[in-house]
Amino acid sequence: MGWHYSKGLKKYVSLEPLKLNSRVREAAKAAGINLEFDDDKNICMLGFHDVKRLIQALGSSILTPEEYFALMDEGDKALNSSLTSNYFAEFLDRVYVRKGGYVDNPECLNEKEVSLKNLKPIAAPVGRPGWFNPKNNIDKNSHPIDFITEKSDTENLWKYWSPDFNPLFVDGAVALRGYVSSVDMPSYDLGCPMDVKYPKLMIRETRHDLPHGVDENEIAKKREIELDEIGKHRLQTNDFNNLNEIKSQCLENYLRKCQNEINKAEDVVFVVGHRNPDSDAAISCIFEAYRNYLINPEKLYVPVLQSEAVPAEIEKLLGDLSRYVILDTDKRYKKVLDENIASFIFVDHNYQPDIQKYVVSMIDHHEPSIPLDNLNIPKTFEFLGATTSIIMKKFLAMGYSFDNQLSKVLLGAILMDSENLSDHKATEEDIKLVNHLTEKTGIVASEFFASLMGELLKVKDIDTWFNRDYKEYDLFGFAVLKVKDGEIINEDEVRQKLQEKNSAGHLATSLAKLVYYKDAEAVHESIIVESNPDFNVDMNPTIIEYLKQTLLQINKDVELGVEPDCIRYNNLGMQLSRKFVVPQLQEIVSAYNEYYFSNELGVFVARDFLRSDDDRTLTDDNGRVNNISFPEAKKLANRNGGRLLSASEYFKLLKEAEHANDHTMTKSLRNGEFLEFLDTTNKDVQDYLYASPGLILTDDINPETGLPEKIYPPNIYGEKDFWRYWSFPDNDNDYVLVRGHIFLLGSSCLDGKVGINECFHNVGLRMVKDDISPPEIKLRKLLDTQMQKSSLHSNRKETSSSIENHMQA
């Protein structure tokens, strides 16, 4: 955690929101508070009363508005970036009361009241909302001096909300520093109920001295960094001396302990690889669980395979140890999950939405699936051939080696995931580890790999083939099926499976690469392409042509067989790696599916917002047209041969996309970073329910008007299905509906209080067309960097061969 020391306040000010750690856990326990936190471990969903209790238990404070604006005047770049963050909003230590004043650093009597001691009878200027620039424009009571009530230009202004005392809520209104998605600017809100609980409303800790004591998380982060450095140095110097050998019996005893104590331990940490685990995911989760147990024997670290059964090659690799493997179908595992007392360590993957917030550590050899910058846990990402290699390096750094049986298990996992140290998958560190393990065990790597592949290739069930190695990207899927050469494959069954994947995920197309092995060597491959007829686009010729050109670029002498929906090849000299072709495939699929065809509306609707490369058009950093008024948006859409969605059409389209499981379109329609005008104004409707604000459900939208027929109170917190709703104001001005996003709630919004001539940084338009033209696709060659990755080091094959020759000798 970073801190800024303010000479003016004589305090340390945190640069990030309060995160879950041992110190915070202990304070919450002492204060009797049940903590809520998000995927990044940020404490959230606490009312002001609980925030004050927690911060007091920590011996800390939060900023008053006066302190907040004083910090902004200090001019520190990192501090100002944090104070105006679009990552989190924060409580300020001030409450306004009905009697017309406010209390700074208030004493909370309960969730809805504060002590009126030190009440200051100063009224805040009325603006709901208003717009202001805080620079040299804040009075001695921390209120805006000058502000406007309608934002009609492109100037960067903060949004301002004066105190509000709705009788449905509480007598006190708490001050917040927030963020407004539409304008990409902070907000200053003095009118939130004291008991408000939002996922993006967090806590900034301030202290007179830095926190003392042991933070287990920070210690673990530093420890893992140091271990990675030590392990790397051992490999660089080939130092495998003076190591304590771990016996297979010790690991067996521990796995038995896990089975016996999983439902008895008070603190359980599950170590899991990805779903449908391969050898690397299975072995790395077992060894990482045991490594953590060696570090902290007071906790129970339980390896779990997210699979219905142990795959044959893993069972062969583990031998008798496979008897102790716990699967995620195990009732004991499910019981712990139901009791919500478990944490998780991820290995060989880094994102799993259902349990992401409970992850306490991760080790992976893939690119992160989502941004993990704000996740304050030990994270190890090294692009080695196998996650098992990374974990073995950590064992070496801790001073451990393994007996022959365990060395054999580790060797098998590394060989399987690196395809027997293939040129485009293994690194020098993988090779050195394999060299060490083969010397210790006397195993010939190629023969061992062949025996494990033999088990894997025994699989003949189409579902198992697909589940072994299937990945989904935006609008397409890609499976890799490993097959024994000479095996008769019913390709119609493969196509049927691809159709099922297309239908289940509402994908535009799916591909299956069949890799045929002979004596554990890939001898030829085929790629089948199956497009989804529901998308009304035929991109097969373009995809097949791209694959053909890529293969010829790798090896001009490759033997090719090209069919309308399939390409077959051998004599390539290497496997065609999925990760190399996916970037261009993504571009092709995206180009062909720039528009979503709505059967409900009978029109084509853009999946993304209108972009422009015209220097005369205002755009954001991503090229999206912005800072235009609603009339300008309509004219621009018309000039581009289209129009905008009405509110009625928008909600029909959203329901259609949700029903079709088109996650890409649904995500776009509810984009939280960029918002859109809807072609419905207050002049288009006669009657509507008034709300300022309220909550709505999309099921209650009138299909004819696009407006809600039922409104719920706004003080319902934590329900993800609710949208925030602002009706058209009750006056004679012209207003337009905007599909918005409420940052604090992390939810969508239907906003009718937008003036027809107002412009916003993050509001643009989505095109609707009656017909579209086929896209023009420019196929690009593989990037040089990708080709370099395919042979990571020019001498790898030579090094691998020397290892093999040495062992055979």
Side-chain angles (χ1 to χ4, degrees):
M1 177 184 290
W3 296 85
H4 166 85
Y5 181 72
S6 168
K7 293 180 180 179
L9 302 183
K10 296 181 179 176
K11 285 184 179 182
Y12 290 93
V13 181
S14 175
L15 296 178
E16 56 189 17
L18 186 67
K19 293 181 181 287
L20 184 70
N21 57 33
S22 55
R23 180 176 67 95
V24 175
R25 282 186 188 276
E26 291 172 7
K29 185 176 181 181
I33 296 170
N34 293 321
L35 292 178
E36 292 284 343
F37 51 95
D38 64 12
D39 287 355
D40 291 338
K41 300 292 189 293
N42 300 305
I43 304 300
C44 60
M45 295 298 292
L46 291 182
F48 184 67
H49 176 252
D50 282 341
V51 168
K52 293 283 286 185
R53 292 167 59 207
L54 177 61
I55 212 74
Q56 184 178 2
L58 287 166
S60 308
S61 62
I62 57 176
L63 296 169
T64 65
E66 183 180 355
E67 290 174 325
Y68 175 85
F69 286 111
L71 283 173
M72 289 195 66
D73 289 338
E74 292 187 7
D76 182 88
K77 186 175 180 180
L79 176 64
N80 279 6
S81 177
S82 173
L83 290 171
T84 58
S85 172
N86 63 358
Y87 173 64
F88 72 102
E90 59 189 294
F91 282 103
L92 299 177
D93 207 354
R94 173 178 290 184
V95 171
Y96 290 83
V97 297
R98 287 186 186 278
K99 293 190 176 183
Y102 67 84
V103 183
D104 280 340
N105 302 306
E107 176 189 354
C108 291
L109 302 178
N110 53 50
E111 289 189 1
K112 300 184 179 182
E113 290 183 288
V114 297
S115 168
L116 298 184
K117 185 179 179 181
N118 299 322
L119 178 68
K120 295 182 179 181
I122 306 296
V126 177
R128 298 195 57 78
W131 301 90
F132 76 105
N133 186 335
K135 189 172 181 62
N136 301 320
N137 191 33
I138 300 295
D139 67 19
K140 64 179 182 179
N141 300 304
S142 306
H143 297 140
I145 299 171
D146 296 318
F147 63 90
I148 58 177
T149 57
E150 183 171 315
K151 187 177 184 300
S152 58
D153 54 31
T154 59
E155 185 178 355
N156 290 330
L157 298 176
W158 289 36
K159 202 167 194 176
Y160 166 70
W161 295 89
S162 55
D164 179 41
F165 301 102
N166 189 312
L168 291 175
F169 304 154
V170 294
D171 288 338
V174 67
L176 309 176
R177 190 282 302 168
Y179 166 80
V180 183
S181 300
S182 59
V183 293
D184 190 26
M185 291 294 290
S187 67
Y188 186 35
D189 192 339
L190 308 182
C192 275
M194 286 177 58
D195 61 349
V196 69
K197 298 176 183 179
Y198 291 144
K200 285 294 186 179
L201 184 51
M202 301 174 189
I203 308 166
R204 184 192 301 277
E205 186 180 11
T206 69
R207 303 179 59 91
H208 288 291
D209 52 18
L210 292 176
H212 299 292
V214 175
D215 186 333
E216 293 178 359
N217 187 61
E218 293 302 314
I219 290 175
K221 286 165 61 179
K222 292 177 181 177
R223 179 192 67 228
E224 294 305 307
I225 291 172
E226 291 173 358
L227 288 177
D228 292 337
E229 289 299 317
I230 295 170
K232 184 175 183 178
H233 179 71
R234 276 192 178 274
L235 285 184
Q236 287 175 340
T237 59
N238 290 311
D239 181 8
F240 299 98
N241 301 314
N242 301 316
L243 299 173
N244 297 311
E245 188 175 81
I246 297 174
K247 305 293 185 182
S248 58
Q249 188 61 52
C250 295
L251 180 58
E252 182 178 330
N253 292 341
Y254 180 68
L255 295 177
R256 190 183 293 114
K257 172 186 172 74
C258 290
Q259 287 196 337
N260 294 334
E261 298 184 12
I262 183 173
N263 291 141
K264 300 175 184 177
E266 293 184 1
D267 195 357
V268 179
V269 181
F270 291 121
V271 186
V272 297
H274 52 76
R275 290 190 172 100
N276 303 303
D278 55 10
S279 299
D280 187 36
I283 303 310
S284 60
C285 85
I286 291 172
F287 279 80
E288 180 62 8
Y290 188 61
R291 187 180 75 87
N292 278 272
Y293 167 70
L294 294 176
I295 294 170
N296 186 6
E298 300 303 316
K299 281 188 178 181
L300 188 67
Y301 296 86
V302 180
V304 174
L305 267 63
Q306 298 195 91
S307 176
E308 295 182 356
V310 180
E313 73 278 9
I314 298 173
E315 190 170 13
K316 177 172 182 175
L317 186 57
L318 287 172
D320 290 341
L321 293 174
S322 63
R323 293 181 298 168
Y324 305 105
V325 169
I326 296 176
L327 305 173
D328 68 348
T329 54
D330 194 302
K331 292 181 180 179
R332 294 166 297 181
Y333 170 71
K334 291 185 175 181
K335 182 175 184 293
V336 178
L337 290 189
D338 291 340
E339 293 172 355
N340 199 28
I341 59 174
S343 301
F344 288 84
I345 293 175
F346 287 173
V347 295
D348 202 27
H349 74 309
N350 53 76
Y351 182 61
Q352 192 168 323
D354 53 331
I355 54 175
Q356 190 76 17
K357 67 185 293 184
Y358 302 108
V359 64
V360 295
S361 177
M362 55 177 61
I363 302 176
D364 196 6
H365 70 141
H366 303 100
E367 291 278 359
S369 300
I370 59 173
L372 299 170
D373 297 341
N374 295 304
L375 187 55
N376 185 35
I377 61 171
K379 304 185 291 278
T380 302
F381 287 88
E382 288 191 68
F383 304 120
L384 273 63
T387 302
T388 302
S389 296
I390 303 173
I391 294 170
M392 185 176 170
K393 277 203 311 177
K394 290 178 181 286
F395 270 106
L396 292 172
M398 291 167 60
Y400 291 109
S401 65
F402 303 91
D403 67 9
N404 279 10
Q405 184 176 344
L406 296 183
S407 294
K408 179 181 177 182
V409 172
L410 292 164
L411 173 62
I414 297 172
L415 290 174
M416 288 294 283
D417 218 45
S418 67
E419 290 274 347
N420 195 23
L421 299 180
S422 66
D423 291 349
H424 60 289
K425 288 195 173 184
T427 69
E428 295 295 343
E429 290 188 348
D430 296 299
I431 293 170
K432 287 189 175 185
L433 288 170
V434 167
N435 189 13
H436 168 68
L437 293 169
T438 52
E439 286 180 350
K440 178 151 191 157
T441 60
I443 290 174
V444 177
S446 60
E447 294 177 1
F448 189 34
F449 173 72
S451 68
L452 294 173
M453 281 298 297
E455 293 295 325
L456 184 150
L457 295 174
K458 287 180 180 178
V459 173
K460 302 185 188 303
D461 175 62
I462 190 70
D463 289 326
T464 304
W465 266 332
F466 267 84
N467 290 335
R468 273 186 179 280
D469 197 358
Y470 172 78
K471 292 186 178 180
E472 215 162 271
Y473 307 89
D474 283 345
L475 291 175
F476 74 100
F478 202 141
V480 177
L481 285 66
K482 297 179 179 180
V483 184
K484 187 175 181 179
D485 190 37
E487 195 81 47
I488 298 176
I489 302 298
N490 187 334
E491 293 190 352
D492 287 339
E493 284 189 359
V494 175
R495 290 180 174 85
Q496 177 61 36
K497 195 65 182 178
L498 290 173
Q499 290 171 14
E500 292 173 9
K501 294 292 186 183
N502 285 340
S503 178
H506 201 65
L507 306 173
T509 191
S510 284
L511 297 86
K513 183 176 80 155
L514 280 62
V515 188
Y516 294 86
Y517 287 83
K518 183 176 183 180
D519 298 329
E521 291 288 333
V523 290
H524 59 96
E525 300 178 71
S526 300
I527 298 179
I528 299 172
V529 185
E530 186 72 23
S531 291
N532 189 339
D534 292 342
F535 277 69
N536 294 322
V537 293
D538 182 13
M539 65 190 92
N540 275 21
T542 305
I543 291 177
I544 294 295
E545 180 63 22
Y546 163 65
L547 294 173
K548 174 185 172 183
Q549 295 300 329
T550 299
L551 292 165
L552 289 170
Q553 183 190 355
I554 294 172
N555 184 351
K556 62 181 177 60
D557 295 323
V558 64
E559 298 173 11
L560 288 174
V562 179
E563 302 168 23
D565 67 346
C566 180
I567 187 165
R568 309 176 193 279
Y569 52 96
N570 54 32
N571 193 36
L572 184 63
M574 59 177 285
Q575 284 194 43
L576 181 61
S577 175
R578 174 172 53 192
K579 67 181 179 182
F580 294 161
V581 296
V582 158
Q584 173 77 85
L585 287 173
Q586 186 69 76
E587 291 180 19
I588 294 171
V589 174
S590 297
Y592 271 97
N593 292 278
E594 181 181 356
Y595 284 83
Y596 172 100
F597 180 74
S598 169
N599 289 295
E600 173 75 16
L601 304 178
V603 295
F604 293 88
V605 183
R607 290 182 175 272
D608 200 358
F609 304 97
L610 183 65
R611 298 172 187 264
S612 175
D613 54 7
D614 186 345
D615 293 338
R616 298 167 296 175
T617 305
L618 291 173
T619 61
D620 68 0
D621 292 341
N622 294 309
R624 297 175 293 205
V625 174
N626 68 347
N627 280 322
I628 58 174
S629 68
F630 171 65
E632 291 170 334
K634 289 196 68 171
K635 290 179 182 177
L636 185 58
N638 185 259
R639 284 203 303 269
N640 282 274
R643 59 179 181 84
L644 308 182
L645 286 168
S646 68
S648 172
E649 290 175 320
Y650 171 85
F651 284 107
K652 289 177 181 178
L653 178 66
L654 177 62
K655 185 169 289 189
E656 179 184 357
E658 289 175 340
H659 182 72
N661 291 321
D662 193 320
H663 306 298
T664 304
M665 191 62 186
T666 303
K667 184 178 179 181
S668 174
L669 288 169
R670 299 191 62 174
N671 190 304
E673 297 177 356
F674 204 75
L675 322 176
E676 58 191 295
F677 287 113
L678 300 178
D679 196 358
T680 301
T681 72
N682 58 331
K683 306 303 182 185
D684 298 323
V685 293
Q686 299 299 318
D687 298 310
Y688 56 86
L689 297 178
Y690 185 79
S692 179
L695 297 176
I696 61 173
L697 294 171
T698 55
D699 287 343
D700 296 323
I701 296 293
N702 183 315
E704 300 304 318
T705 65
L707 293 171
E709 296 182 315
K710 184 176 182 180
I711 299 176
Y712 301 84
N715 59 333
I716 301 174
Y717 307 124
E719 297 292 336
K720 295 182 179 180
D721 291 337
F722 279 116
W723 286 44
R724 178 66 68 89
Y725 170 61
W726 293 85
S727 63
F728 297 122
D730 189 15
N731 58 49
D732 293 330
N733 295 333
D734 291 336
Y735 296 94
V736 61
L737 282 176
V738 167
R739 190 281 303 164
H741 181 84
I742 303 299
F743 175 77
L744 282 172
L745 278 69
S747 68
S748 298
C749 170
L750 184 61
D751 192 349
K753 66 181 186 306
V754 178
I756 201 166
N757 291 313
E758 287 189 279
C759 307
F760 300 94
H761 181 76
N762 281 346
V763 178
L765 62 148
R766 183 191 304 275
M767 293 288 294
V768 180
K769 293 186 175 184
D770 294 327
D771 197 11
I772 58 173
S773 301
E776 293 183 8
I777 304 293
K778 184 178 180 181
L779 296 179
R780 60 177 172 79
K781 296 182 178 179
L782 282 172
L783 299 175
D784 290 340
T785 53
Q786 289 178 311
M787 292 302 292
Q788 290 168 4
K789 285 180 182 178
S790 70
S791 58
L792 296 167
H793 297 279
S794 59
N795 64 341
R796 173 149 315 123
K797 186 175 291 186
E798 180 181 342
T799 306
S800 179
S801 298
S802 66
I803 293 172
E804 196 66 45
N805 293 336
H806 169 75
M807 292 314 304
Q808 289 175 347

